[in-house]
C-alpha cells in the first residue's frame, strides 16, 4: 500500500509538469476565474431576483392600502433600442415630412400601456402619495394657467421621476389661432416649464387633441420632438375608447386629467383604481412613456 501511494504521489508530481511548488498553473487559474465569474453572475441574478420580489411584495402591500383588488403588474425593462415613431395614418397634415410625429400608440410587442395626465387643475396630495407608493409611472402635460397657483405640487411630482411636458400656456383651440399665436402658446409654455422646473420639454400635446400644420411647425420651432395623443381616455367610472374593438393594445397611450369631484363623480385616486383594474385585468402593465421615445 505504501509503495502504491508513493507511485501515485510520484505520478501526481509528474502530472504537475515543471510548475514551481506552490504556484497554480494556467488551467487552475482559468478555472478559478471562471468559477468566480459564474459565482458573481449568479449573485447578481440572485440579487436582481430578490429586489424584484421585494418590489412586487411592496407593490402588493400598497395595492391593498389603496383599494386595488390586484397589484399592478411590473413593467418589463425599458427597450435598449427605441422603437421608430411615425405619424399615425389619417393624422398627417399636408406637409408632414420633417414635422414632429403625431401618434396614439407606441410600436411595441410588450403588453404595456402608458398613462398620461393633462392640464393641472386638481392638485390632490393623495394622488401623489398613491402613485409614489404604487411605483406607477406617468407623464404630465401641463397648461400654465392651471398650474401657476401651485408650482410646488408639480415640483414634488417631478422629484418623484415624472416628466413635465407642454400643453400650452392657456389651453386654447389651436387651429383657430394664427401661426404666431400658436407659437406664443407653445414656446411660452416651454419657457415657463424651463424656468419653473429646470428642463425644457420635448413632448407636446395640443389642447383637445386638435392641431393643424401651423401647430406642428410652431411646436418644432420651440424644440418639440413628438406629439403623443391617446387611444383611450380614463375617468373614475369608465374608459372611453378610440378603436372600434374597445380594447387595449400593446403600446397604447391612455389620457386622463388632473380633475376632482367638482368635475368628476370621484377623485383622482378613484380614477387610478378604475384605470388599474382595467389595465391589470387585461394583463397589461403601465410603463414609462419616455423610455420608449
Amino acid at each position: 500500500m505504501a509503495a502504491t501511494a508513493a507511485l501515485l504521489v510520484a505520478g501526481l508530481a509528474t502530472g504537475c509538469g515543471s510548475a514551481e511548488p506552490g504556484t497554480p498553473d494556467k488551467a487552475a487559474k482559468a478555472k478559478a476565474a471562471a468559477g468566480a465569474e459564474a459565482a458573481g453572475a449568479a449573485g447578481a441574478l440572485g440579487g436582481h431576483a430578490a429586489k424584484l420580489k421585494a418590489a412586487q411584495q411592496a407593490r402588493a402591500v400598497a395595492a391593498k392600502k389603496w383599494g386595488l383588488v390586484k397589484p399592478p403588474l411590473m413593467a418589463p425593462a425599458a427597450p435598449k433600442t427605441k422603437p421608430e415613431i411615425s405619424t399615425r395614418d389619417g393624422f398627417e397634415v399636408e406637409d408632414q415630412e420633417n414635422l414632429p410625429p403625431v401618434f396614439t400608440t407606441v410600436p411595441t410587442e410588450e403588453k404595456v400601456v402608458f398613462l398620461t395626465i393633462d392640464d393641472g387643475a386638481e392638485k390632490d396630495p393623495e394622488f401623489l402619495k398613491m402613485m409614489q407608493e404604487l411605483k406607477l409611472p406617468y407623464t404630465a402635460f401641463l397648461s400654465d394657467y392651471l398650474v401657476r397657483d401651485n408650482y410646488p405640487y408639480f415640483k414634488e411630482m417631478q422629484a418623484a421621476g415624472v416628466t413635465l411636458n407642454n400643453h400650452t400656456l392657456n389651453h386654447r383651440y389651436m387651429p383657430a389661432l394664427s401661426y404666431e399665436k400658436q407659437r406664443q402658446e407653445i414656446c411660452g409654455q416651454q419657457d415657463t416649464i424651463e424656468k419653473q422646473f429646470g428642463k425644457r420639454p420635448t413632448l407636446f400635446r395640443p389642447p383637445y387633441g386638435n392641431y393643424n400644420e401651423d401647430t406642428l411647425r410652431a411646436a418644432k420651432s420651440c424644440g418639440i420632438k413628438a406629439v403623443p395623443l391617446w387611444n383611450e381616455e380614463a375617468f373614475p367610472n369608465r374608459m372611453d375608447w378610440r378603436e372600434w374593438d374597445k380594447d387595449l393594445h400593446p403600446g397604447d397611450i391612455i389620457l386622463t386629467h388632473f380633475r376632482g369631484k367638482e368635475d368628476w363623480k370621484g377623485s383622482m385616486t378613484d380614477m387610478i383604481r378604475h384605470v388599474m383594474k382595467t389595465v391589470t385585468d387585461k394583463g397589461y402593465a403601465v410603463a414609462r412613456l419616455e423610455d420608449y421615445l
Side-chain angles (χ1 to χ4, degrees), residues 78-154:
K80 293 180 180 178
T81 303
K82 304 291 180 73
E84 184 176 343
I85 305 295
S86 58
T87 293
R88 176 174 171 164
D89 287 348
F91 286 62
E92 308 93 338
V93 295
E94 185 174 348
D95 189 14
Q96 182 67 51
E97 190 175 359
N98 299 320
L99 292 176
V102 182
F103 54 100
T104 63
T105 301
V106 174
T108 180
E109 295 181 0
E110 301 279 4
K111 289 195 75 173
V112 296
V113 292
F114 307 101
L115 183 61
T116 63
I117 310 181
D118 281 10
D119 299 348
E122 180 72 8
K123 302 163 185 73
D124 183 355
E126 288 297 294
F127 167 76
L128 291 186
K129 287 171 59 178
M130 182 184 197
M131 299 303 274
Q132 289 177 30
E133 291 179 12
L134 289 170
K135 298 291 188 290
L136 286 175
Y138 59 102
T139 298
F141 290 87
L142 305 181
S143 292
D144 189 60
Y145 85 106
L146 292 170
V147 170
R148 64 172 67 111
D149 66 338
N150 195 347
Y151 288 133
Y153 179 84
F154 298 95

Side-chain angles (χ1 to χ4, degrees), residues 88 91 104-105 230-232 239-249 252 282:
R88 176 174 171 164
F91 286 62
T104 63
T105 301
W230 61 91
N231 233 15
E232 294 85 26
M239 294 279 282
D240 286 352
W241 311 88
R242 187 185 295 273
E243 306 298 343
W244 64 271
D245 59 359
K246 297 186 177 181
D247 202 359
L248 295 176
H249 315 89
D252 272 2
K282 291 178 178 292

